[in-house]
Amino acid sequence: MFLKPDSSNWTTIADTYGYVAPELAYTGVVNEKCDVYSFGVLTVEVMIGEHPGELISCLQSLTNLCIHLEDVLDARLSPPPGQQLADKLSFTLTIALSCLRANPQSRPSTRTHYEALWASKARQRETLEGIATIQLQES
C-alpha cells in the first residue's frame, strides 16, 4: 500500500541528533547521502572513542589544519602493532572522512564506499605517525 500525497500520514526523522546530516536537519529532505554521512559519523566515533562533533567542525572549518592520526585515535587503546593494521585504520578513516564532507554531492555513494571497503588491494600508506587527517581527507 502506498501513501497518498494528500493524506494526513507523515513521516518523521528517526535518527539521533549528532548523526544526522546537516542538510537533513536544515531541509528535512532524506536521501542516500544522509545515510552516508551517518555512516561516517559512526565510523569515526568508533575509531576515536567518542562522538566526533568537535573534530567534524574543525575539519570543515579549517582548511590547512594538520592533525596526526595518532592524535585522533582512541587513546584508551594501544596503537596498532603493525604497519598492515595502521594501513587499514588509515584507509577506514579516509572513507569515513569522505562521508563527512559538507557538500552532500561530494560524499561517496554507498556503493562506492562498500566497494572500497571490500576491495582486495590494500592501500600503501606512511607510518602511523606520519599520517595526518588532512591528508586522509584529501585522498
Side-chain angles (χ1 to χ4, degrees):
M1 176 177 225
F2 294 99
L3 294 177
K4 296 178 184 176
D6 58 346
S7 75
S8 61
N9 293 324
W10 288 85
T11 57
T12 58
I13 298 172
D15 207 339
T16 305
Y17 292 104
Y19 298 86
V20 176
E23 67 275 10
L24 175 57
Y26 294 128
T27 66
V29 178
V30 179
N31 60 44
E32 177 192 13
K33 301 298 179 143
C34 296
D35 288 339
V36 169
Y37 184 89
S38 297
F39 171 82
V41 174
L42 183 61
T43 302
V44 174
E45 180 175 354
V46 168
M47 294 182 78
I48 70 173
E50 62 186 26
H51 187 275
E54 187 177 323
L55 178 62
I56 293 169
S57 297
C58 186
L59 290 172
Q60 292 179 352
S61 64
L62 300 173
T63 56
N64 292 325
L65 180 65
C66 183
I67 302 171
H68 290 277
L69 180 61
E70 65 182 350
D71 296 332
V72 182
L73 293 177
D74 191 342
R76 298 171 296 180
L77 303 174
S78 301
Q83 187 59 42
Q84 186 176 14
L85 184 54
D87 290 343
K88 289 179 181 180
L89 281 172
S90 67
F91 181 67
T92 303
L93 190 58
T94 299
I95 292 171
L97 291 175
S98 71
C99 294
L100 298 176
R101 292 179 182 144
N103 180 353
Q105 287 75 33
S106 67
R107 294 179 200 144
S109 68
T110 303
R111 176 176 292 284
T112 300
H113 63 62
Y114 170 81
E115 290 170 354
L117 285 170
W118 295 109
S120 59
K121 283 188 168 181
R123 284 175 53 136
Q124 297 298 317
R125 299 298 290 189
E126 302 170 38
T127 62
L128 181 62
E129 293 80 21
I131 301 171
T133 56
I134 197 71
Q135 290 172 313
L136 295 173
Q137 195 173 22
E138 294 170 354
S139 296

